[in-house]
Amino acid sequence: MHLSRTVLSAALAGALGVAATGAWAQTVVKIGHVGPMTGAIAHLGKDNELGAKLAIEDLNAKGIKLGGQAVKFELLSEDDGADPKQGTSAATKLVDAKVNGVIGHLNSGTTIPASKIYHDAGIPQISPSATNPKYTLQGFKSAFRVVAHDGQLGGTLGRYAVKDLKSKNIAIIDDRTAYGQGVADEFQKAVKAAGGKVVGREFTNDKATDFNAILTKLKGTKPDLVFYGGMDAVAGPMLRQMKQLGIAANFMGGDGICTGELAKLAGDGMADSQVVCAEAGGVTKDKEAAMNAWRARFKDKTGQDVQIYAPYVYDAIMVMAGAMQKANSADPKKYLPELQKTSFDGVTGKIAFDPKGDIKDGTLTLYTYKAGKREVIKVVKQAAAARSLQVHSAESGPASREASCQCKKTGAFGCPFRFSLSKCASALHGTQAAPGVNHRVGVQGNGRNTLFGEPLSQIRVIGRALPADPHVLSGFATRLDRT
């Protein structure tokens, strides 16, 4: 059985979409969905839309009431073509249609500019897949995401490239979109922080098909790993051309390449275990059975395999509908406070939001490909990295080296933490462990990572708690207090 296409009545009226029919009234709640329904990554946009349709069907089967009236959920789907200008046009259309909430967009490059339009109109927006940190750093209380962001995604991949794959010469390419450049930037920071070497950085665009010039240039640096920040529609042909040029390097990328279509797009250009990618989500062992059952049901309903983010779209709609039920209203002003307080157990796991609108304690899943199929390497839970450092600067300097140090509380707040650098690798670039000198180090994202050349054996980290990775202390300032 395939999902029927949502039929939208032109007669819908009223700020909350209330339509009267005969002797009874039914509240029509309009949920907007935006993604690339045309273009090179239309397969991802359609995957998201199918997840949205399944959610709408399931909600309507529940017979939900709001304010004592029966509710009918309807989906308004718009195509943004993965283009920022088309994305803002789609957002304006949904605002004019008086939607009660929006799920989307797919790309960071369309999500970010559209978010201001929704914010100004007072319409809540949940992105199921946009990962650029800027999306939730704009101060919009209406903006949420149900996946990890690029700081977590790129950081995890960068450390994995250096520490696990033992890559020595790393080349980076990005497509200059908000997503592609953003995840590549975070990857590069993490590589350098882990002690890795970046031998070249090139860029292309999200519609390119010929990469011979940049690949030939990078071939001269003898990379053993190439990272691409962008989408699968470009990554596939890039892999084929790497093989043609004799570049025998591992290939890595973020969630944009981590799709079921990548193997088809790459053809014989992809060797088993050559590609490592990360999905900005994933389920832990206790949720695997539920996710597998959902994927099977999705295929039964739609005739399609899940590409990547359809389950997150499904959960995003359920989260939004759940907030409406708690508020007993589909009025955005009334249900937005409930959305901010969400605690929802979905098919993708537990969903709750921090004050910025980012998902709390999200997961990342590392994959490789064997025989053309994605295969899980490991699931990285961000819960251990739950608490974030309180920074004194908005700059985002490079992270320090990993510190596999034991720490203990030295204050009543769970921080500061004391690290004995004489017992482990230096937590800061360029420092030399030596006994007898203690320094207090203020956390500040200014990228400086020396302590005026002073020897030290212990440092005290001033901040509320640990960053996204508990083993990485990033962006230390050089304020010293001898103790």
Side-chain angles (χ1 to χ4, degrees):
M1 171 182 164
H2 290 249
L3 291 174
S4 59
R5 186 166 184 84
T6 305
V7 179
L8 306 175
S9 171
L12 301 181
L16 299 182
V18 178
T21 308
W24 59 278
Q26 185 181 51
T27 301
V28 176
V29 178
K30 295 181 283 186
I31 303 296
H33 168 265
V34 194
M37 309 308 296
T38 56
I41 58 170
H43 56 288
L44 302 181
K46 291 174 182 177
D47 180 60
N48 280 13
E49 185 185 49
L50 289 173
K53 289 180 176 181
L54 183 56
I56 294 296
E57 183 177 286
D58 286 352
L59 286 173
N60 285 333
K62 292 181 179 181
I64 294 171
K65 291 186 177 182
L66 296 177
Q69 289 187 318
V71 166
K72 180 181 180 182
F73 289 88
E74 293 191 343
L75 187 70
L76 280 71
S77 189
E78 292 291 337
D79 176 19
D80 65 18
D83 177 75
K85 290 183 179 179
Q86 192 172 332
T88 54
S89 176
T92 300
K93 287 176 68 176
L94 291 179
V95 169
D96 291 344
K98 295 182 171 58
V99 294
N100 301 85
V102 173
I103 307 301
H105 300 203
L106 186 150
N107 308 81
S108 295
T110 53
T111 300
I112 294 170
S115 64
K116 186 178 188 307
I117 295 172
Y118 301 131
H119 171 262
D120 291 347
I123 297 174
Q125 172 194 12
I126 305 176
S127 175
S129 50
T131 55
N132 191 303
K134 293 178 183 177
Y135 170 52
T136 53
L137 291 176
Q138 302 173 96
F140 298 160
K141 297 299 184 182
S142 56
F144 304 86
R145 74 172 117 223
V146 292
V147 292
H149 59 67
D150 288 341
Q152 298 161 327
L153 189 73
T156 297
L157 287 169
R159 291 187 291 277
Y160 191 84
V162 176
K163 300 296 184 183
D164 293 80
L165 297 181
K166 308 298 182 185
S167 303
K168 302 298 183 185
N169 296 316
I170 297 172
I172 301 174
I173 305 171
D174 74 76
D175 66 0
R176 281 302 189 258
T177 64
Y179 162 69
Q181 185 173 354
V183 73
D185 286 347
E186 295 297 335
F187 172 80
Q188 182 168 327
K189 290 178 189 177
V191 165
K192 291 182 177 180
K197 181 181 178 182
V198 176
V199 295
R201 177 85 184 250
E202 298 293 330
F203 64 89
T204 181
N205 65 71
D206 61 347
K207 297 176 178 60
T209 57
D210 184 357
F211 316 103
N212 275 284
I214 59 174
L215 289 176
T216 299
K217 184 177 180 180
L218 290 175
K219 182 181 179 180
T221 67
K222 299 181 179 179
D224 50 16
L225 184 143
V226 174
F227 179 90
Y228 174 61
M231 307 301 288
D232 62 355
V234 170
M238 188 178 290
L239 277 162
R240 292 202 304 270
Q241 290 175 38
M242 282 175 58
K243 182 178 180 181
Q244 291 166 6
L245 290 170
I247 301 176
N250 286 326
F251 191 82
M252 183 176 273
D255 52 329
I257 78 164
C258 212
T259 68
E261 286 292 300
L262 179 64
K264 298 176 185 177
L265 293 164
D268 64 358
M270 180 196 293
D272 282 356
S273 302
Q274 178 188 6
V275 174
V276 174
C277 59
E279 179 181 318
V283 296
T284 49
K285 287 285 186 182
D286 59 313
K287 284 286 185 179
E288 281 184 358
M291 174 60 85
N292 290 338
W294 190 91
R295 285 174 176 268
R297 179 169 173 255
F298 178 88
K299 185 167 186 177
D300 180 61
K301 287 279 188 178
T302 68
Q304 304 291 325
D305 288 318
V306 171
Q307 283 292 325
I308 184 165
Y309 283 123
Y312 299 89
V313 175
Y314 181 91
D315 271 357
I317 289 180
M318 291 301 179
V319 163
M320 187 171 281
M324 292 176 183
Q325 288 178 275
K326 289 183 179 179
N328 200 29
S329 173
D331 182 343
K333 292 180 181 178
K334 294 181 179 179
Y335 82 79
L336 179 57
E338 295 298 334
L339 190 56
Q340 293 164 341
K341 296 185 291 184
T342 288
S343 180
F344 178 78
D345 192 17
V347 295
T348 61
K350 179 71 175 292
I351 297 174
F353 301 113
D354 70 13
K356 298 192 302 294
D358 287 323
I359 189 169
K360 291 181 181 178
D361 304 343
T363 57
L364 295 169
T365 306
L366 295 180
Y367 289 94
T368 189
Y369 289 78
K370 293 182 179 178
K373 300 291 184 181
R374 284 200 320 173
E375 185 174 294
V376 174
I377 299 173
K378 65 178 179 177
V379 177
V380 181
K381 183 71 175 173
Q382 299 295 308
R387 302 182 292 268
S388 61
L389 285 167
Q390 182 180 24
V391 296
H392 301 262
S393 168
E395 299 175 26
S396 56
S400 71
R401 292 186 185 277
E402 284 195 3
S404 302
C405 311
Q406 292 183 339
C407 65
K408 62 181 180 180
K409 292 181 183 179
T410 60
F413 313 103
C415 247
F417 295 93
R418 184 178 293 275
F419 291 84
S420 175
L421 297 187
S422 61
K423 297 180 181 178
C424 62
S426 172
L428 301 176
H429 285 304
T431 60
Q432 299 295 321
V437 181
N438 294 337
H439 295 294
R440 185 178 296 273
V441 182
V443 177
Q444 186 178 37
N446 64 2
R448 294 176 294 182
N449 46 31
T450 62
L451 297 178
F452 303 132
E454 292 277 345
L456 69 158
S457 62
Q458 294 179 326
I459 61 171
R460 185 173 290 182
V461 182
I462 308 303
R464 286 190 296 191
L466 293 175
D469 186 320
H471 300 301
V472 176
L473 308 173
S474 59
F476 286 88
T478 55
R479 178 170 60 83
L480 303 180
D481 295 321
R482 274 184 191 270
T483 58

mmCIF file of all heavy atoms in Angstrom, residues 21-44:
data_model
loop_
_atom_site.group_PDB
_atom_site.id
_atom_site.type_symbol
_atom_site.label_atom_id
_atom_site.label_comp_id
_atom_site.label_asym_id
_atom_site.label_seq_id
_atom_site.Cartn_x
_atom_site.Cartn_y
_atom_site.Cartn_z
ATOM 1 N N THR A 21 -18.039 22.231 7.987
ATOM 2 C CA THR A 21 -18.661 21.369 6.997
ATOM 3 C C THR A 21 -19.961 20.840 7.573
ATOM 4 O O THR A 21 -19.938 20.025 8.488
ATOM 5 C CB THR A 21 -17.742 20.194 6.626
ATOM 6 O OG1 THR A 21 -16.460 20.712 6.261
ATOM 7 C CG2 THR A 21 -18.315 19.404 5.474
ATOM 8 N N GLY A 22 -21.070 21.316 7.027
ATOM 9 C CA GLY A 22 -22.366 20.860 7.486
ATOM 10 C C GLY A 22 -22.589 21.218 8.939
ATOM 11 O O GLY A 22 -22.380 22.338 9.371
ATOM 12 N N ALA A 23 -23.042 20.216 9.736
ATOM 13 C CA ALA A 23 -23.411 20.459 11.127
ATOM 14 C C ALA A 23 -22.234 20.314 12.079
ATOM 15 O O ALA A 23 -22.391 20.456 13.273
ATOM 16 C CB ALA A 23 -24.518 19.486 11.533
ATOM 17 N N TRP A 24 -21.049 20.011 11.568
ATOM 18 C CA TRP A 24 -19.922 19.821 12.471
ATOM 19 C C TRP A 24 -18.725 20.622 11.970
ATOM 20 O O TRP A 24 -18.620 20.983 10.817
ATOM 21 C CB TRP A 24 -19.562 18.348 12.595
ATOM 22 C CG TRP A 24 -19.185 17.695 11.298
ATOM 23 C CD1 TRP A 24 -20.034 17.214 10.357
ATOM 24 C CD2 TRP A 24 -17.859 17.506 10.788
ATOM 25 N NE1 TRP A 24 -19.337 16.712 9.296
ATOM 26 C CE2 TRP A 24 -17.996 16.875 9.527
ATOM 27 C CE3 TRP A 24 -16.588 17.785 11.279
ATOM 28 C CZ2 TRP A 24 -16.906 16.538 8.751
ATOM 29 C CZ3 TRP A 24 -15.509 17.437 10.503
ATOM 30 C CH2 TRP A 24 -15.662 16.827 9.258
ATOM 31 N N ALA A 25 -17.838 20.919 12.880
ATOM 32 C CA ALA A 25 -16.643 21.686 12.520
ATOM 33 C C ALA A 25 -15.412 20.845 12.790
ATOM 34 O O ALA A 25 -15.351 20.116 13.772
ATOM 35 C CB ALA A 25 -16.585 22.979 13.332
ATOM 36 N N GLN A 26 -14.466 20.929 11.912
ATOM 37 C CA GLN A 26 -13.225 20.196 12.055
ATOM 38 C C GLN A 26 -12.068 21.170 11.956
ATOM 39 O O GLN A 26 -12.030 22.017 11.075
ATOM 40 C CB GLN A 26 -13.091 19.141 10.953
ATOM 41 C CG GLN A 26 -11.867 18.251 11.099
ATOM 42 C CD GLN A 26 -11.776 17.240 9.974
ATOM 43 O OE1 GLN A 26 -11.854 17.608 8.809
ATOM 44 N NE2 GLN A 26 -11.628 15.980 10.318
ATOM 45 N N THR A 27 -11.154 21.063 12.885
ATOM 46 C CA THR A 27 -9.976 21.915 12.859
ATOM 47 C C THR A 27 -8.947 21.317 11.917
ATOM 48 O O THR A 27 -8.522 20.174 12.098
ATOM 49 C CB THR A 27 -9.359 22.049 14.263
ATOM 50 O OG1 THR A 27 -10.326 22.612 15.143
ATOM 51 C CG2 THR A 27 -8.131 22.925 14.233
ATOM 52 N N VAL A 28 -8.553 22.074 10.915
ATOM 53 C CA VAL A 28 -7.547 21.640 9.965
ATOM 54 C C VAL A 28 -6.219 22.266 10.372
ATOM 55 O O VAL A 28 -6.068 23.480 10.388
ATOM 56 C CB VAL A 28 -7.907 22.030 8.520
ATOM 57 C CG1 VAL A 28 -6.778 21.632 7.563
ATOM 58 C CG2 VAL A 28 -9.204 21.372 8.104
ATOM 59 N N VAL A 29 -5.275 21.437 10.710
ATOM 60 C CA VAL A 29 -3.950 21.889 11.109
ATOM 61 C C VAL A 29 -3.007 21.671 9.938
ATOM 62 O O VAL A 29 -2.799 20.536 9.498
ATOM 63 C CB VAL A 29 -3.447 21.128 12.360
ATOM 64 C CG1 VAL A 29 -2.035 21.579 12.727
ATOM 65 C CG2 VAL A 29 -4.391 21.345 13.522
ATOM 66 N N LYS A 30 -2.438 22.760 9.459
ATOM 67 C CA LYS A 30 -1.594 22.699 8.269
ATOM 68 C C LYS A 30 -0.121 22.659 8.663
ATOM 69 O O LYS A 30 0.384 23.569 9.309
ATOM 70 C CB LYS A 30 -1.878 23.890 7.356
ATOM 71 C CG LYS A 30 -3.285 23.873 6.780
ATOM 72 C CD LYS A 30 -3.536 25.048 5.852
ATOM 73 C CE LYS A 30 -3.785 26.334 6.631
ATOM 74 N NZ LYS A 30 -4.175 27.434 5.709
ATOM 75 N N ILE A 31 0.539 21.596 8.261
ATOM 76 C CA ILE A 31 1.966 21.428 8.521
ATOM 77 C C ILE A 31 2.714 21.605 7.208
ATOM 78 O O ILE A 31 2.461 20.884 6.240
ATOM 79 C CB ILE A 31 2.280 20.033 9.100
ATOM 80 C CG1 ILE A 31 1.476 19.774 10.377
ATOM 81 C CG2 ILE A 31 3.789 19.894 9.363
ATOM 82 C CD1 ILE A 31 1.807 20.691 11.529
ATOM 83 N N GLY A 32 3.617 22.564 7.185
ATOM 84 C CA GLY A 32 4.420 22.786 5.990
ATOM 85 C C GLY A 32 5.647 21.889 5.975
ATOM 86 O O GLY A 32 6.225 21.585 7.023
ATOM 87 N N HIS A 33 6.018 21.443 4.805
ATOM 88 C CA HIS A 33 7.262 20.692 4.631
ATOM 89 C C HIS A 33 7.998 21.261 3.426
ATOM 90 O O HIS A 33 7.403 21.500 2.376
ATOM 91 C CB HIS A 33 7.007 19.202 4.393
ATOM 92 C CG HIS A 33 8.243 18.476 3.922
ATOM 93 N ND1 HIS A 33 8.511 18.262 2.589
ATOM 94 C CD2 HIS A 33 9.309 17.987 4.610
ATOM 95 C CE1 HIS A 33 9.674 17.650 2.477
ATOM 96 N NE2 HIS A 33 10.182 17.462 3.691
ATOM 97 N N VAL A 34 9.307 21.490 3.574
ATOM 98 C CA VAL A 34 10.099 22.028 2.473
ATOM 99 C C VAL A 34 11.375 21.214 2.303
ATOM 100 O O VAL A 34 12.056 20.889 3.281
ATOM 101 C CB VAL A 34 10.494 23.506 2.708
ATOM 102 C CG1 VAL A 34 11.000 24.120 1.403
ATOM 103 C CG2 VAL A 34 9.339 24.309 3.262
ATOM 104 N N GLY A 35 11.683 20.910 1.062
ATOM 105 C CA GLY A 35 12.909 20.189 0.727
ATOM 106 C C GLY A 35 13.124 20.249 -0.761
ATOM 107 O O GLY A 35 12.277 20.742 -1.514
ATOM 108 N N PRO A 36 14.258 19.751 -1.235
ATOM 109 C CA PRO A 36 14.524 19.745 -2.685
ATOM 110 C C PRO A 36 13.755 18.632 -3.383
ATOM 111 O O PRO A 36 14.173 17.465 -3.359
ATOM 112 C CB PRO A 36 16.039 19.522 -2.757
ATOM 113 C CG PRO A 36 16.359 18.755 -1.511
ATOM 114 C CD PRO A 36 15.401 19.228 -0.465
ATOM 115 N N MET A 37 12.666 18.971 -4.007
ATOM 116 C CA MET A 37 11.852 17.979 -4.713
ATOM 117 C C MET A 37 12.275 17.851 -6.178
ATOM 118 O O MET A 37 11.812 16.969 -6.902
ATOM 119 C CB MET A 37 10.369 18.355 -4.634
ATOM 120 C CG MET A 37 9.881 18.649 -3.210
ATOM 121 S SD MET A 37 10.285 17.355 -2.029
ATOM 122 C CE MET A 37 9.339 16.001 -2.679
ATOM 123 N N THR A 38 13.119 18.767 -6.603
ATOM 124 C CA THR A 38 13.707 18.708 -7.943
ATOM 125 C C THR A 38 15.207 18.938 -7.806
ATOM 126 O O THR A 38 15.680 19.435 -6.783
ATOM 127 C CB THR A 38 13.112 19.788 -8.864
ATOM 128 O OG1 THR A 38 13.293 21.081 -8.261
ATOM 129 C CG2 THR A 38 11.631 19.552 -9.111
ATOM 130 N N GLY A 39 15.963 18.574 -8.851
ATOM 131 C CA GLY A 39 17.395 18.800 -8.828
ATOM 132 C C GLY A 39 18.183 17.563 -8.453
ATOM 133 O O GLY A 39 17.634 16.462 -8.311
ATOM 134 N N ALA A 40 19.481 17.753 -8.254
ATOM 135 C CA ALA A 40 20.410 16.631 -8.073
ATOM 136 C C ALA A 40 20.139 15.814 -6.814
ATOM 137 O O ALA A 40 20.441 14.622 -6.770
ATOM 138 C CB ALA A 40 21.847 17.150 -8.056
ATOM 139 N N ILE A 41 19.613 16.453 -5.770
ATOM 140 C CA ILE A 41 19.360 15.701 -4.532
ATOM 141 C C ILE A 41 17.864 15.579 -4.244
ATOM 142 O O ILE A 41 17.445 15.485 -3.088
ATOM 143 C CB ILE A 41 20.106 16.310 -3.329
ATOM 144 C CG1 ILE A 41 19.714 17.784 -3.107
ATOM 145 C CG2 ILE A 41 21.605 16.183 -3.497
ATOM 146 C CD1 ILE A 41 20.255 18.339 -1.796
ATOM 147 N N ALA A 42 17.075 15.535 -5.314
ATOM 148 C CA ALA A 42 15.627 15.372 -5.156
ATOM 149 C C ALA A 42 15.290 14.056 -4.449
ATOM 150 O O ALA A 42 14.263 13.968 -3.762
ATOM 151 C CB ALA A 42 14.942 15.426 -6.516
ATOM 152 N N HIS A 43 16.144 13.038 -4.599
ATOM 153 C CA HIS A 43 15.868 11.758 -3.935
ATOM 154 C C HIS A 43 15.867 11.918 -2.415
ATOM 155 O O HIS A 43 15.129 11.220 -1.726
ATOM 156 C CB HIS A 43 16.890 10.705 -4.355
ATOM 157 C CG HIS A 43 18.317 11.077 -4.117
ATOM 158 N ND1 HIS A 43 18.970 12.033 -4.860
ATOM 159 C CD2 HIS A 43 19.228 10.615 -3.220
ATOM 160 C CE1 HIS A 43 20.221 12.147 -4.435
ATOM 161 N NE2 HIS A 43 20.395 11.305 -3.439
ATOM 162 N N LEU A 44 16.650 12.864 -1.905
ATOM 163 C CA LEU A 44 16.656 13.105 -0.461
ATOM 164 C C LEU A 44 15.434 13.910 -0.031
ATOM 165 O O LEU A 44 14.840 13.641 1.022
ATOM 166 C CB LEU A 44 17.940 13.830 -0.057
ATOM 167 C CG LEU A 44 19.253 13.127 -0.407
ATOM 168 C CD1 LEU A 44 20.443 13.942 0.069
ATOM 169 C CD2 LEU A 44 19.288 11.730 0.205
#
